[in-house]
Amino acid sequence: MKKKLLCTVMLFAILSALAIFVGSQTPAIAAKGQSLPPERKVREIELYVTTPDYDPIRYEFGLMAAEEWKKLGFDIKVTPLAWNRLSELGINQKDFDAFTLAWAGRAERIDPDHFVYMTLHSSQAGIGQYNIVGYNNPEYDKLAEEQRRIGDLEKRREIVWKAQEIAAEDQPYLVIASRNWIVAYDSANFKNPTPMMGEALNSFWNWLSIEPVGNSKEVVWGYPSDINTMNPLASTATHDFQTTRLIYDRLVRIGPDGKPRNWAAESITQIDDTTYELKLRPGMKFHDGEPVKASDVKFSVDLVRKTESPYFLGLIKPIAEVEIKDDLTLIFKLQEPFAPFIANSLGQLYIFPEHIWSKILEERGPKGTLEWDNAQAIGSGPFKLGYWRRDEEMKLVRNDDYFQPAKVDAIIKIPYANVQGLVAGLTTGEIDVLGWWLEPMQADKLKDVEGISVIEVPDHGYYHINVNMRRTPFDDKAVRFALSYAIPRQKIIDILLEGHGTKEGSIIASANSFWHNPAIKPLPYDLDKARQILKEAGYEWDAKGKIYYPEGKVESFKK
Amino acid sequence: MWNYIVNRLFQMLVTLLVLSTLIFFLFRILPGDPLSMFIDAALPVEAQEAVMKQFGLDKPLWQQYITYMSNLFRGEFGVSFHYRQPVIEIIGEKVWSTAILMGAALVIAFAVGVFGGAIMAWIRGSKIEIFGTALALFFRSAPVFWTGMVVLLIFSYRLGWFPAGGMRSVGTEVLSNWDKFVSLDFLHHLVLPALTAALYYIATPLLVMRTAMIEVMNDDFIEMARAKGLSEWDVLTRHAMRNSLLPVVTVLCLMVGFAIGGQVLVETVFRWPGLGREMVAAIQRNDYPVAQATFFLMGILVIFLNLVADLLYGILDPRVTYD
């Protein structure tokens, strides 16, 4: 009886302590005027998040940010949307207040052009384009344009660093954290994997370096879905290219360190601002024995133009003209100076065999070529296509004639229906290389499985929150800064990523060490600072702690 | 009889017309648009417009509808937005994978269900009957993915008798379509998913058969058969069961029609590359052509099998005529 009473008293004490503690935090700044005009009240903000089953992280950190923002006096309504709806409203129509997004760390995003130009230059704010927030700063625009013109890596980096500084001062979108990929492979049977930022074990280099230790010379690669098409001209999905780039070769490939390397091209010489001479590596052959010639490269560019291949078309856009000098030498003329050309155009384009595709183009026409199944894909890459049974299995056989032959006899690729199946496959020994990332809990379990190694790979993609600068209240820098200070970055990493992530503050993530500006630090979680910024900008709070625009500003946006 | 069939075929045609129209508009009412699914791949605006044009999405809805219907009359389902390949190529193979899996499951379910149901009715009230019915209902109510995982846990992970998923062993090369589906390896992979789906299906034929049998067993002709001195077995199989089959046939035809849509969960748990997964994925991606084709196939099958069921009545029960 006594015990019960004691418990009750203790509980009461704890509760009241809690109430005082929480209570002392919430009412932001004591209201001075109860009679703030209603037209100055900041409207309710709708924060879109993904559905929890599409991406639990983007869902949860949205909720966490909203909780903090409410403490600043904002009315926040969180709405989960299916991804197709979210991308339609957010990226296409740009009809949103704020939404959570993740930039995937793709190979072509290692070059800073995506983050510096595509996501923030004012010309990129149209329908479906990537300047989602509607950022428009002429000073910034100048730098974003300039970095495209300068070929010299060091000089270009200086400008890219400057651009990052300006972006950090404007906070156009609120950068939060990058996530480390936790991946695993069968170390009992294979050694020497080469993971890469953004791609982990799906990296191109991994398939050249991975080496059998035991009897199984064929490495089994598990991925949670199959590729969509074997026809690269019709592909748009990252994973399609991660697969077909093993069959088709590229002139330049981005190394694991993030710097472009000459690959099928032996040398690339810049003749003037807009002219490059490219020499092909001699002795390369397609899988059917035909030699790789300069004419195949020129044809590949033409093929993309004629068929309007959606993905490649954008990449070859800077190219004005391709001339054949001799069997192995080409001259590339550009429309205008464009520095990302080597990494992003030459580094993405495939070399298509002219003797095969010219026939298809003639027989089926441009549209028919896009719809061709290319079931017996012939390229000049390190692996030949053995067979492909959609949604079941694919076999890629080593090309022994390749100039840097792989160490495994073949890759067998198995598409799973979901990630759980993939993890089970790794545990039972059905697969050797995990093409997806593990949740920390899954990783802990796999660590105990004998013969499996778990490794962690940083990513240059990151989570962030877009705020629509075309609308009040996000047109005000003070509001963006306050919201950014109120994001509990460390808590998000600790709780949602279970520590497997890095706080980010710049538009180029820290994993991309060559381009990332180390002077820019992530903003700390600091509600007082956030309130102070708002107060200094003239924002006021009513008795209930709701926030009002500074004198002279009224709510002008209506849904 | 022939008059009846011609009449029914004409009705089918009208039904199909309505169905295909419904399907067309239904998918377009769904939120989101197919283009937003491609956004992720850094498509420039011009390329997006090119894609719109390629798939005729830039035209007004009624024009799209006319194109769709005229394609349908020529037996064409168009080109998948997602795969950028003719729909037939995408779903052609999957129809077979699913048909074999579901065929096997339905054969097991109906063989066990029909005989089981008959016996349940015959031994009505016994402990075995109560237990059997409860068991069938249990598997009917349990989520299929759960049943699948339990089956996997026991027969694959613990006992190691069967593979954990897929249609063939890793690294199997197949040279012909015949090779693909006719091999011990394939059968070995088929057992667990077919069994899982069958466990789910069993309750329906079992309960329908049991109810029908109970009704028949009270009829005079059963008494008569017994009076003739026929053995219990003969009375059960030749008189009682045959007369109870009608409702089971109706159920069978309906189930076959829907089965072509596959069992998404079974296909997912057992990594079976079937039509069910494709169907769900197509809807999520707003891949109208694939979604339309799969639903249309399913519709055609249900309607056609309804006709088959009606015709079968005449064979099973000579009292049914078609005049």
Side-chain angles (χ1 to χ4, degrees):
Chain A
M1 199 58 206
K2 235 183 187 172
K3 230 179 186 175
K4 212 169 176 184
L5 189 75
L6 195 72
C7 280
T8 320
V9 170
M10 289 249 304
L11 201 71
F12 183 75
I14 291 171
L15 276 179
S16 36
L18 211 65
I20 291 164
F21 179 69
V22 173
S24 69
Q25 271 206 336
T26 19
I29 286 165
K32 58 172 188 184
Q34 260 80 351
S35 55
L36 288 165
E39 64 273 14
R40 268 177 59 198
K41 185 171 188 304
V42 176
R43 72 196 163 89
E44 185 187 65
I45 291 163
E46 194 168 13
L47 172 66
Y48 294 145
V49 292
T50 59
T51 51
D53 53 328
Y54 179 81
D55 181 1
I57 311 282
R58 270 182 259 178
Y59 172 78
E60 292 290 347
F61 83 70
L63 293 186
M64 283 165 82
E67 274 320 300
E68 302 297 330
W69 292 354
K70 279 177 194 164
K71 291 181 191 164
L72 296 178
F74 290 98
D75 282 327
I76 313 281
K77 183 179 155 202
V78 181
T79 312
L81 291 179
W83 170 245
N84 60 358
R85 186 84 189 121
L86 183 57
S87 64
E88 170 65 19
L89 284 178
I91 303 172
N92 263 1
Q93 303 302 329
K94 304 197 162 59
D95 180 12
F96 68 95
D97 288 337
F99 70 100
T100 60
L101 189 64
W103 288 123
R106 292 221 178 85
E108 69 268 24
R109 289 176 183 167
I110 292 174
D111 185 278
D113 198 57
H114 169 79
F115 290 113
V116 172
Y117 190 87
M118 311 285 267
T119 72
L120 288 175
H121 190 273
S122 60
S123 68
Q124 301 297 308
I127 288 174
Q129 287 179 309
Y130 277 159
N131 183 349
I132 296 165
V133 294
Y135 183 52
N136 185 353
N137 179 345
E139 190 194 353
Y140 180 91
D141 278 1
K142 243 188 227 164
L143 290 169
E145 288 156 24
E146 210 181 333
Q147 61 83 26
R148 293 192 135 191
R149 273 198 295 272
I150 294 172
D152 182 82
L153 283 178
E154 303 293 329
K155 276 186 199 154
R156 189 172 169 215
R157 176 160 78 167
E158 259 173 56
I159 299 162
V160 169
W161 277 20
K162 186 89 188 83
Q164 289 175 69
E165 268 166 38
I166 297 185
E169 281 159 24
D170 280 340
Q171 294 283 321
Y173 52 84
L174 318 177
V175 182
I176 297 175
S178 60
R179 170 187 201 154
N180 297 347
W181 280 54
I182 316 171
V183 289
Y185 70 100
D186 171 4
S187 53
N189 289 306
F190 295 92
K191 61 172 186 184
N192 261 345
T194 310
M196 180 171 164
M197 60 171 140
E199 305 207 41
L201 292 173
N202 299 321
S203 135
F204 172 78
W205 310 101
N206 188 39
W207 305 116
L208 291 189
S209 75
I210 198 160
E211 223 176 302
V213 180
N215 295 326
S216 56
K217 309 278 184 223
E218 299 183 343
V219 61
V220 183
W221 176 16
Y223 198 84
S225 65
D226 206 348
I227 64 168
N228 297 331
T229 164
M230 189 47 84
N231 182 346
L233 290 173
S235 290
T236 50
T238 308
H239 185 59
D240 285 23
F241 293 113
Q242 284 174 341
T243 307
T244 51
R245 72 182 173 196
L246 298 170
I247 302 171
Y248 290 93
D249 216 355
R250 282 168 168 167
L251 294 159
V252 170
R253 297 211 188 236
I254 313 291
D257 49 358
K259 282 189 194 167
R261 290 184 190 179
N262 292 344
W263 197 246
E266 195 179 47
S267 69
I268 299 170
T269 326
Q270 188 167 7
I271 294 173
D272 60 47
D273 258 13
T274 55
T275 317
Y276 292 80
E277 187 182 272
L278 185 147
K279 272 199 184 342
L280 289 178
R281 197 183 276 269
M284 292 187 300
K285 280 189 185 128
F286 287 109
H287 300 153
D288 57 0
E290 295 285 322
V292 178
K293 289 182 303 221
S295 53
D296 290 306
V297 176
K298 180 180 162 58
F299 172 79
S300 302
V301 176
D302 292 342
L303 182 66
V304 170
R305 285 245 163 84
K306 279 182 194 146
T307 54
E308 296 186 355
S309 159
Y311 184 77
F312 288 118
L313 191 66
L315 300 171
I316 62 149
K317 222 171 145 195
I319 302 172
E321 209 183 322
V322 186
E323 276 170 33
I324 300 173
K325 213 167 148 192
D326 62 50
D327 253 13
L328 292 176
T329 318
L330 293 138
I331 305 283
F332 279 87
K333 289 214 165 97
L334 305 189
Q335 310 271 12
E336 53 190 1
F338 187 63
F341 154 76
I342 291 180
N344 285 1
S345 305
L346 300 184
Q348 300 285 323
L349 184 69
Y350 285 163
I351 307 176
F352 291 101
E354 184 177 10
H355 61 279
I356 290 170
W357 289 84
S358 61
K359 261 185 234 152
I360 300 298
L361 193 60
E362 205 173 294
E363 278 165 24
R364 310 183 55 129
K367 199 178 157 191
T369 307
L370 273 186
E371 287 164 17
W372 186 43
D373 62 359
N374 192 25
Q376 259 84 45
I378 297 281
S380 57
F383 288 91
K384 301 176 185 182
L385 178 62
Y387 54 80
W388 178 36
R389 298 193 292 266
R390 186 188 289 281
D391 280 345
E392 204 204 322
E393 194 173 304
M394 182 190 291
K395 187 172 187 177
L396 300 166
V397 185
R398 180 179 57 209
N399 174 7
D400 291 317
D401 296 332
Y402 199 60
F403 52 88
Q404 190 179 323
K407 300 193 169 82
V408 288
D409 289 353
I411 301 170
I412 290 175
K413 209 177 149 263
I414 304 188
Y416 282 75
N418 52 31
V419 184
Q420 284 88 334
L422 208 55
V423 176
L426 195 68
T427 320
T428 55
E430 198 172 58
I431 60 173
D432 302 312
V433 170
L434 187 71
W436 202 249
W437 63 81
L438 294 165
E439 298 302 331
M441 216 172 72
Q442 297 169 326
D444 287 342
K445 268 191 195 155
L446 277 175
K447 270 178 196 153
D448 301 333
V449 179
E450 208 173 316
I452 291 190
S453 286
V454 176
I455 49 179
E456 203 159 314
V457 191
D459 189 11
H460 61 293
Y462 53 81
Y463 293 108
H464 62 279
I465 297 181
N466 286 307
V467 289
N468 201 341
M469 292 170 68
R470 302 167 188 87
R471 297 180 178 179
T472 51
F474 309 110
D475 56 340
D476 188 349
K477 186 162 124 181
V479 171
R480 298 196 301 272
F481 256 96
L483 294 181
S484 195
Y485 269 112
I487 295 173
R489 291 178 175 78
Q490 190 58 49
K491 200 167 140 198
I492 288 172
I493 290 175
D494 289 347
I495 296 177
L496 300 182
L497 305 179
E498 299 191 35
H500 303 277
T502 316
K503 282 187 280 183
E504 301 289 349
S506 176
I507 53 168
I508 292 180
S510 50
N512 197 351
S513 52
F514 184 76
W515 298 107
H516 169 74
N517 183 344
I520 298 165
K521 302 282 179 233
L523 296 187
Y525 169 67
D526 191 341
L527 281 185
D528 292 333
K529 174 97 182 173
R531 284 192 198 100
Q532 192 195 330
I533 291 170
L534 290 169
K535 199 178 172 193
E536 276 166 15
Y539 285 79
E540 290 178 82
W541 286 265
D542 67 9
K544 286 182 202 143
K546 298 292 179 200
I547 191 161
Y548 284 69
Y549 285 113
E551 222 162 313
K553 186 167 179 176
V554 291
E555 182 56 81
S556 57
F557 182 81
K558 275 195 191 74
K559 275 228 159 168
Chain B
M1 171 89 173
W2 288 110
N3 262 346
Y4 174 78
I5 293 180
V6 170
N7 226 332
R8 281 292 298 267
L9 281 177
F10 178 74
Q11 281 175 21
M12 267 173 70
L13 205 70
V14 177
T15 319
L16 278 179
L17 261 173
V18 175
L19 174 77
S20 47
T21 307
L22 266 180
I23 288 174
F24 178 86
F25 288 103
L26 211 63
F27 286 123
R28 277 158 181 80
I29 296 171
L30 285 179
D33 80 289
L35 254 194
S36 61
M37 307 313 285
F38 308 138
I39 275 299
D40 217 32
L43 282 187
V45 178
E46 306 92 81
Q48 285 184 28
E49 278 162 9
V51 174
M52 293 267 274
K53 231 168 114 185
Q54 188 191 345
F55 294 122
L57 288 168
D58 54 336
K59 299 204 180 94
L61 202 59
W62 63 270
Q63 270 186 28
Q64 291 181 40
Y65 175 66
I66 289 172
T67 321
Y68 158 78
M69 284 308 259
S70 62
N71 274 345
L72 214 53
F73 272 108
R74 279 177 283 141
E76 280 172 27
F77 291 112
V79 175
S80 155
F81 298 161
H82 183 75
Y83 299 110
R84 313 286 168 98
Q85 267 171 39
V87 172
I88 287 295
E89 282 175 27
I90 304 292
I91 63 173
E93 190 130 312
K94 295 193 168 160
V95 170
W96 289 113
S97 305
T98 292
I100 291 173
L101 172 61
M102 288 298 129
L106 286 175
V107 166
I108 299 173
F110 275 81
V112 177
V114 166
F115 276 98
I119 292 166
M120 300 275 165
W122 211 251
I123 57 171
R124 195 177 177 205
S126 73
K127 273 194 182 129
I128 298 178
E129 191 247 339
I130 294 167
F131 179 72
T133 315
L135 196 69
L137 279 173
F138 172 77
F139 282 118
R140 176 82 205 185
S141 339
V144 190
F145 67 87
W146 179 83
T147 316
M149 286 190 307
V150 171
V151 164
L152 264 181
L153 196 70
I154 297 172
F155 294 101
S156 182
Y157 294 132
R158 284 283 152 80
L159 298 172
W161 292 351
F162 295 98
M167 273 205 317
R168 278 170 280 270
S169 297
V170 171
T172 313
E173 296 202 30
V174 290
L175 303 167
S176 63
N177 269 334
W178 180 261
D179 256 20
K180 265 184 193 169
F181 299 117
V182 187
S183 72
L184 275 180
D185 185 43
F186 177 78
L187 273 180
H188 195 207
H189 282 78
L190 178 65
V191 173
L192 291 190
L195 184 74
T196 307
L199 280 175
Y200 174 74
Y201 283 136
I202 263 174
T204 313
L206 187 112
L207 294 182
V208 170
M209 187 68 191
R210 180 175 159 275
T211 315
M213 277 285 283
I214 288 171
E215 226 167 87
V216 168
M217 274 165 56
N218 293 328
D219 280 349
D220 294 342
F221 67 89
I222 297 289
E223 201 78 358
M224 177 68 192
R226 282 201 177 116
K228 275 197 300 188
L230 289 177
S231 71
E232 256 328 78
W233 176 254
D234 278 346
V235 178
L236 172 72
T237 52
R238 283 169 64 188
H239 294 274
M241 273 180 75
R242 192 166 168 194
N243 279 293
S244 320
L245 271 179
L246 279 193
V248 180
V249 168
T250 318
V251 173
L252 174 68
C253 288
L254 268 178
M255 276 169 83
V256 170
F258 284 109
I260 200 65
Q263 272 281 0
V264 187
L265 295 172
V266 174
E267 288 176 6
T268 305
V269 170
F270 291 95
R271 205 158 50 75
W272 193 267
L275 202 61
R277 263 161 68 188
E278 195 55 55
M279 220 160 147
V280 172
I283 296 168
Q284 281 171 347
R285 296 175 185 133
N286 290 74
D287 192 349
Y288 302 148
V290 174
Q292 279 162 188
T294 46
F295 274 82
F296 187 74
L297 267 182
M298 214 164 99
I300 248 185
L301 213 65
V302 171
I303 295 170
F304 175 74
L305 285 169
N306 257 318
L307 174 64
V308 171
D310 286 346
L311 293 180
L312 270 179
Y313 283 178
I315 297 166
L316 289 169
D317 187 346
R319 283 170 301 180
V320 176
T321 55
Y322 295 99
D323 297 322

